[in-house]
Amino acid sequence: MCGIAGIFHCQTPKPVDPARVERMCDALVHRGPDGGGVWTAPGVGLGHRRLSIIDLAGSPQPMQSADGRAVIVFNGEIYNFRELRRELEAGGAEFRTHGDTEVILAAWRKWGVACLDRLQGMFAFALYDMADRTLFLARDRLGVKPLFLAQLSDGSVAFASELKGLLAHPLLRREVDPLAIEDYLTWGYVPDHRSILKGVEKLPAGHYRLLRHNTAPSAPIKWWDVSFASRRRGSEADLGAELLHHLREAVTSRMVADVPLGAFLSGGVDSSSVVALMAEASREPVRTCSIGFDVEAEDETGYASEVARLFATDHHSKVVAADDFAEIDRLAAMFDEPFADASALPTWRVCQLARQHVTVALSGDGADEAFAGYRRQVFQAHEDRVRSFLPSALRAPVFGALGALYPKADWAPRPMRAKSTLEALAANGEEAYAAALAINRPDLRAGLYSDAMRRELAGYSAELPFIEMMRAAPARSGLDRAQYVDLKFWLPGDILTKVDRTSMAVSLEAREPLLDHRLVEFAASLPDRMRVRGKQGKWLMKQTMRRYLPDTILFRPKQGFVTPIAQWLRGPLAGEARAIASSAGIARTGWFSAGRIARLAEEHISGRADRSRLLWQLLMLDRSLRQLGISG
């Protein structure tokens, strides 16, 4: 795992200062503490920071191809590199190293951009072909590895694994995009179609770009997508057997490393499934790590210990205090862009624990998106069936009126909290699912903004790109569309960003076997009833894993990492909550109504309402603006 950075002149191929590329790489040293290098030629400079995982001494980067034609900097892992190497050697290719980086160079030489279809893994790389005078930038199918780009005033394009790499370039303009603020307040993160800074973009997952000298920068080109448009036929037993084959292949392919390897273990379905399959494939005890909290209701270490005993793992656990709020400045520095998923704190803590014992850790991320494990997806599936029976002309007025009359009762038992369900049934499926994921409703966001900010937004709503993506999904059902947008929008923007930054902050490589693209494509082809049955999501996966895991693990209520931000903002962070409205960073932007923020803070501190998620968003936004050294 590594960090990459570089500069490419699209017009006149001006000289690139190696020291400038080196400074960009120095900002990414946490991603690659084991070494670094810079290579330059007229009009191009490539830089690399290395975390050694495979071929520890033999694959330095930037790496030049055997024939001297191409140079690459690469972040990630190619899990099928040995099979590709054998195929390329049979065609006459020669190799000087034993790692996966040189395999990409040879694959480019033989297949060009079509080499991407043959790569199984997580990656973001920049490859310069000196014969074609072309820079080839590519990102993996699901966006496990990030790549930021910016077009600069001198006509160059700069790129880096993290925004902080671009911030090290003196020509980067530090002006906030107001549309990114609307996106952030809606989702709690800045999605991949946007950046917090104007002029900065993220190469989308499953896309590549080809940049050439003396040519205007080209747009990203999609090279992979997941389709829910077809349905696989077969009995539960046959489909379960096929699923188990894919799961085993995905896990074992990610167990290749020349450094200590282990797994995160929360005691939930996904991480327990990964550990079970690792234990099956390993001759040695699997190293596992889990984090717990000193608040019993939020602690899952008992379940993790049960799985660790079941598979005789070399288990390490640590209980941490729930008052980790003192680390929010370090958290803001990890992400650069504002990021308000509070589970980033415990995710960082488990990465710290894992790094004490291993250099590579397998995670269970991705199964909820691929196999419909979120409660919101189950609700969407059931609500979509109701919508299919009732025309919109009837649903909208009937359920809309009921939803308006029904009280909002967040304090009540779940069966009595029907307001959101009634409102969802009144809307179409895409609008309802956007509302289910949004942290703050449009009316609340609009009430926060100043008149000047509303003019800047010019009617833009963060839900619009989400709804458009969902409507255009290659899908057959409402469940399909919900999963598609979770895989394409939520997963790279929130989940994978969180895992990448928190693991890389401690120089730990995290691998996601449940996001193997073959496994994801198989899951997308399953009939709805093999994904959701009754109130149960991930149905076929859970049935398949019953041969390994007890029902107490497979069918217990989903928890996930919980951070007690509501209590913090009424207790030790109450002063911070009150100060947000008058914060110099927030106030200078002119984006918000200070009086409205102050009233929301008092509502929360007094206990009249739970405004914790919004206040946490504003607090993390304020900290991010400080880290970026910008105001508005």
Side-chain angles (χ1 to χ4, degrees), residues 99 154 193 364 386 417 571 600:
D154 65 352
H193 64 263
V386 175
R417 287 185 256 166
L600 291 172

Side-chain angles (χ1 to χ4, degrees), residues 340-619:
D341 185 337
S343 68
L345 274 168
T347 302
W348 175 46
R349 288 303 191 197
V350 78
C351 288
Q352 287 179 311
L353 175 63
R355 190 63 178 90
Q356 295 173 18
H357 306 280
V358 300
T359 310
V360 177
L362 273 62
S363 83
D365 293 305
D368 287 323
E369 290 80 6
F371 289 94
Y374 291 121
R375 190 175 63 208
R376 64 177 183 255
Q377 295 164 334
V378 177
F379 286 170
Q380 181 75 4
H382 294 316
E383 289 166 1
D384 203 57
R385 292 193 192 99
V386 175
R387 293 187 193 96
S388 68
F389 291 125
L390 296 173
S392 175
L394 179 62
R395 278 190 296 103
V398 172
F399 290 117
L402 290 172
L405 293 171
Y406 203 94
K408 185 171 176 58
D410 292 338
W411 49 267
R414 187 165 300 280
M416 297 178 64
R417 287 185 256 166
K419 186 178 184 71
S420 59
T421 299
L422 292 168
E423 290 174 339
L425 290 172
N428 62 50
E430 295 80 16
E431 293 168 348
Y433 201 63
L437 264 77
I439 295 176
N440 300 301
R441 296 169 61 107
D443 55 345
L444 178 60
R445 303 194 309 266
L448 283 177
Y449 294 140
S450 65
D451 291 341
M453 181 63 163
R454 282 191 285 269
R455 286 193 296 272
E456 286 268 12
L457 294 176
Y460 172 74
S461 168
E463 288 88 351
L464 291 175
F466 182 97
I467 289 170
E468 289 171 2
M469 176 183 285
M470 200 169 173
R471 283 178 178 158
R476 294 176 59 170
S477 69
L479 177 62
D480 291 345
R481 284 184 281 276
Q483 286 186 250
Y484 181 86
V485 80
D486 277 335
L487 284 164
K488 302 286 285 188
F489 193 101
W490 157 270
L491 182 73
D494 186 297
I495 303 301
L496 295 178
T497 295
K498 175 180 65 179
V499 175
D500 177 78
R501 303 304 190 279
T502 54
S503 61
M504 287 282 88
V506 297
S507 305
L508 176 77
E509 174 170 301
R511 298 178 178 178
E512 290 84 6
L514 303 182
L515 285 176
D516 185 291
H517 76 276
R518 296 161 299 177
L519 178 61
V520 170
E521 289 168 348
F522 170 78
S525 72
L526 290 172
D528 285 17
R529 65 189 302 273
M530 291 292 179
R531 289 174 271 153
V532 171
R533 196 168 296 189
K535 296 181 180 180
Q536 194 66 246
K538 281 193 294 204
W539 190 84
L540 184 63
M541 181 177 176
K542 291 178 179 179
Q543 297 301 317
T544 300
M545 293 307 298
R546 290 181 95 167
R547 71 191 70 196
Y548 295 97
L549 298 169
D551 286 359
T552 53
I553 296 295
L554 289 170
F555 298 101
R556 72 180 179 89
K558 186 177 179 64
Q559 278 184 255
F561 281 143
V562 177
T563 304
I565 56 174
Q567 295 94 308
W568 290 354
L569 290 164
R570 289 193 180 108
L573 287 183
E576 295 275 6
R578 286 193 173 100
I580 292 171
S582 57
S583 160
I586 292 287
R588 277 198 302 267
T589 66
W591 298 329
F592 304 114
S593 162
R596 175 63 172 153
I597 294 175
R599 287 192 295 274
L600 291 172
E602 291 304 326
E603 283 181 12
H604 182 80
I605 294 166
S606 68
R608 296 195 304 272
D610 184 352
R611 304 295 190 186
S612 57
R613 295 185 75 184
L614 173 60
L615 292 172
W616 181 257
Q617 283 180 282
L618 292 169
L619 184 60

Side-chain angles (χ1 to χ4, degrees), residues 139-167:
R139 190 175 179 199
D140 64 67
R141 294 168 178 84
L142 289 149
V144 178
K145 293 292 104 185
L147 192 60
F148 288 75
L149 302 97
Q151 191 164 355
L152 304 176
S153 58
D154 65 352
S156 67
V157 171
F159 62 88
S161 294
E162 297 180 25
L163 181 57
K164 55 176 59 72
L166 296 182
L167 291 167

